[in-house]
Amino acid sequence: MANPSILILAGDGIGPEVMAEVKKIIGWYDAKRGISFDVSEDLVGGCAYDKHGTPLHDDTMAKAQEVDAVLLGAVGGPKYDVLDFSVKPERGLLRLRKEMDLFSNLRPAQCFDALADFSSLKKDVVAGLDIVIVRELTSGVYFGEPRGIFTEGNERVGINTQRYTESEIARVARSAFELARRRNNKVCSMEKANVMESGILWREVVQEIHDKEYPDVELSHMYADAGAMQLCRWPKQFDVILTDNLFGDLLSDMAAMLTGSLGMLPSASLGAPMANGRPKALYEPVHGSAPDIAGQGKANPIACILSFAMALRYSFDLGDEATRLEQAVEKVLADGVRTADLMGPEGGTPVSTSAMGDAVIAALDASL
Ligand code: NAD
């Protein structure tokens, strides 16, 4: 049987630096665990624009549609700020998400004990936190029509439309319930059913899908504003939070910051199952291309490494290996290995991007 396939799109800025550490880990799985992937690489973002005059070449898009998983680094940088909107680096990423129809965005907020002091919340509120926000990514108010700035009478009016179909709600709900079954079997769905019709429909459809297909999963509903409050007050009450595009945008950023540095946060964007049963999938760190530290060996590769761990779990059914990799990261942090972004007020000597990758490899070796 052919090996599972991965397309690496390292992108711009620190993207290639953090991705280099993931490539080491892919090599480790091949050499030490006999788990091999067919890896190909291509360009996305500013580097693709430099070569092809477009942030995502059609051939790259076609490859992304064929592979089992896409791993992306980051795109963008000041050099490209002057470009026309249609060819900006970010358009490459948006095209991938749109054409692969990646409607379910998984953003874990996991707090490693060694970094609990980094949170702006009290240590006991965040230590051991492990939740995932499932955000609907391809519909809702960011896409609904009508939209625009119009003139009414003698003034302008800005319009965006929150619009969800039943099928759009149902498919992301299924994605959250499936995820919950692999975790602690709890979903909390958040909307504003008290003031929005789209929220009423959201709540009804989520409940229907639950009752018909996932009665074994514990389901609760919360208004999104109350949810934000509860996320700050006691985030450990949640397991999987399911929400729409707009509320998910806000809630996932908030939850992410419960855990400390941007350099630690992975994400997955999943679409419909392909012929082999695996969902279309793109894995990427939450952070951007960090032009302020690019090329200096300072970037923290952990967000990218943890994104690969998500690929092991959600695209390749290698949950035990994903856990092995996450535990290796946990051990490295517990041993006090820190890139510059993880240095606390007590100071110390930060390690480089590649030394952090090497430390994770050493911890993987120790796990055998
Ligand atoms: P950013 O995430 O690139 O950086 C924000 C801050 O966090 C910077 O100080 C940076 O040094 C730090 N940081 C980010 N990742 C880090 C890491 N792995 N290790 C250590 N420190 C890290 O956000 P920005 O500065 O607003 O944007 C820079 C560029 O990235 C822009 O062109 C933006 O459009 C682009 N961007 C891309 C993505 C993406 O590719 N998904 C996401 C956000 C921003």
Side-chain angles (χ1 to χ4, degrees):
M1 213 172 74
N3 291 329
S5 54
I6 295 177
L7 173 63
I8 290 185
L9 301 173
D12 308 317
I14 62 168
E17 298 171 47
V18 294
M19 197 58 84
E21 303 315 306
V22 172
K23 287 195 237 169
K24 283 186 196 167
I25 288 166
I26 292 175
W28 185 88
Y29 274 102
D30 187 26
K32 301 286 176 75
R33 301 289 300 149
I35 297 170
S36 308
F37 298 97
D38 283 340
V39 179
S40 55
E41 292 192 53
D42 213 327
L43 304 174
V44 69
C47 58
Y49 176 81
D50 288 340
K51 181 149 186 227
H52 303 298
T54 167
L56 189 74
H57 194 278
D58 289 346
D59 292 348
T60 317
M61 186 66 242
K63 270 190 229 168
Q65 296 281 23
E66 279 162 21
V67 292
D68 294 313
V70 178
L71 298 185
L72 191 133
V75 298
K79 177 180 162 192
Y80 306 105
D81 286 348
V82 293
L83 292 181
D84 184 71
F85 183 69
S86 63
V87 287
K88 277 201 188 294
E90 291 75 8
R91 304 297 297 172
L93 181 51
L94 292 178
R95 181 174 174 201
L96 279 166
R97 287 180 183 155
K98 182 160 185 279
E99 294 192 19
M100 291 170 76
D101 200 11
L102 303 172
F103 56 82
S104 176
N105 182 222
L106 275 51
R107 293 264 305 257
Q110 196 175 3
C111 185
F112 292 98
D113 282 352
L115 298 183
D117 283 329
F118 267 72
S119 174
S120 50
L121 298 188
K122 289 195 192 97
K123 192 169 178 169
D124 68 313
V125 175
V126 291
L129 177 71
D130 179 8
I131 62 175
V132 181
I133 301 207
V134 176
R135 166 189 172 193
E136 199 291 325
L137 200 60
T138 51
S139 185
V141 75
Y142 294 157
F143 296 93
E145 298 283 346
R147 62 183 297 166
I149 300 174
F150 305 95
T151 302
E152 268 180 24
N154 56 4
E155 65 172 354
R156 290 177 302 158
V157 51
I159 296 181
N160 290 90
T161 303
Q162 168 84 332
R163 181 179 190 278
Y164 270 110
T165 64
E166 283 185 274
S167 54
E168 285 168 343
I169 301 168
R171 65 183 187 171
V172 73
R174 285 192 184 97
S175 163
F177 288 127
E178 292 289 339
L179 177 64
R181 276 185 176 164
R182 289 160 170 250
R183 294 172 46 89
N184 297 315
N185 225 30
K186 252 170 58 170
V187 170
C188 179
S189 173
M190 296 188 186
E191 27 55 19
K192 291 279 288 175
N194 49 343
V195 285
M196 294 169 78
E197 283 75 9
S198 58
I200 295 174
L201 184 69
W202 182 280
R203 189 176 281 221
E204 283 177 9
V205 173
V206 170
Q207 189 68 49
E208 281 163 23
I209 296 290
H210 169 268
D211 296 351
K212 275 194 211 133
E213 300 174 34
Y214 301 92
D216 53 304
V217 179
E218 189 183 323
L219 171 66
S220 59
H221 302 274
M222 214 178 256
Y223 299 136
D225 50 345
M229 224 163 62
Q230 291 299 330
L231 261 178
C232 280
R233 194 185 68 83
W234 191 244
K236 286 187 239 180
Q237 69 186 281
F238 299 112
D239 176 27
V240 174
I241 292 174
L242 164 65
T243 190
D244 73 9
N245 203 342
L246 173 64
F247 297 134
D249 198 359
L250 309 182
L251 293 171
S252 63
D253 269 20
M254 197 180 115
M257 276 303 105
L258 299 176
T259 67
S261 168
L262 205 47
M264 295 291 301
L265 300 168
S267 79
S269 302
L270 307 179
M274 300 184 283
N276 61 13
R278 296 182 174 127
K280 285 215 167 152
L282 182 145
Y283 299 89
E284 57 179 325
V286 168
H287 63 71
S289 61
D292 53 336
I293 56 166
Q296 300 171 35
K298 286 186 184 168
N300 182 353
I302 291 179
C304 204
I305 290 171
L306 292 177
S307 301
F308 177 61
M310 293 185 84
L312 291 174
R313 180 170 286 119
Y314 299 123
S315 280
F316 304 122
D317 268 331
L318 293 168
D320 290 349
E321 298 300 336
T323 304
R324 179 195 299 280
L325 182 51
E326 287 159 357
Q327 285 175 347
V329 168
E330 193 164 6
K331 176 175 186 315
V332 164
L333 296 171
D335 289 348
V337 182
R338 301 273 189 275
T339 42
D341 57 307
L342 302 179
M343 299 306 300
E346 67 280 5
T349 311
V351 301
S352 67
T353 309
S354 88
M356 180 57 100
D358 291 343
V360 174
I361 297 267
L364 283 170
D365 276 335
S367 76
L368 294 176

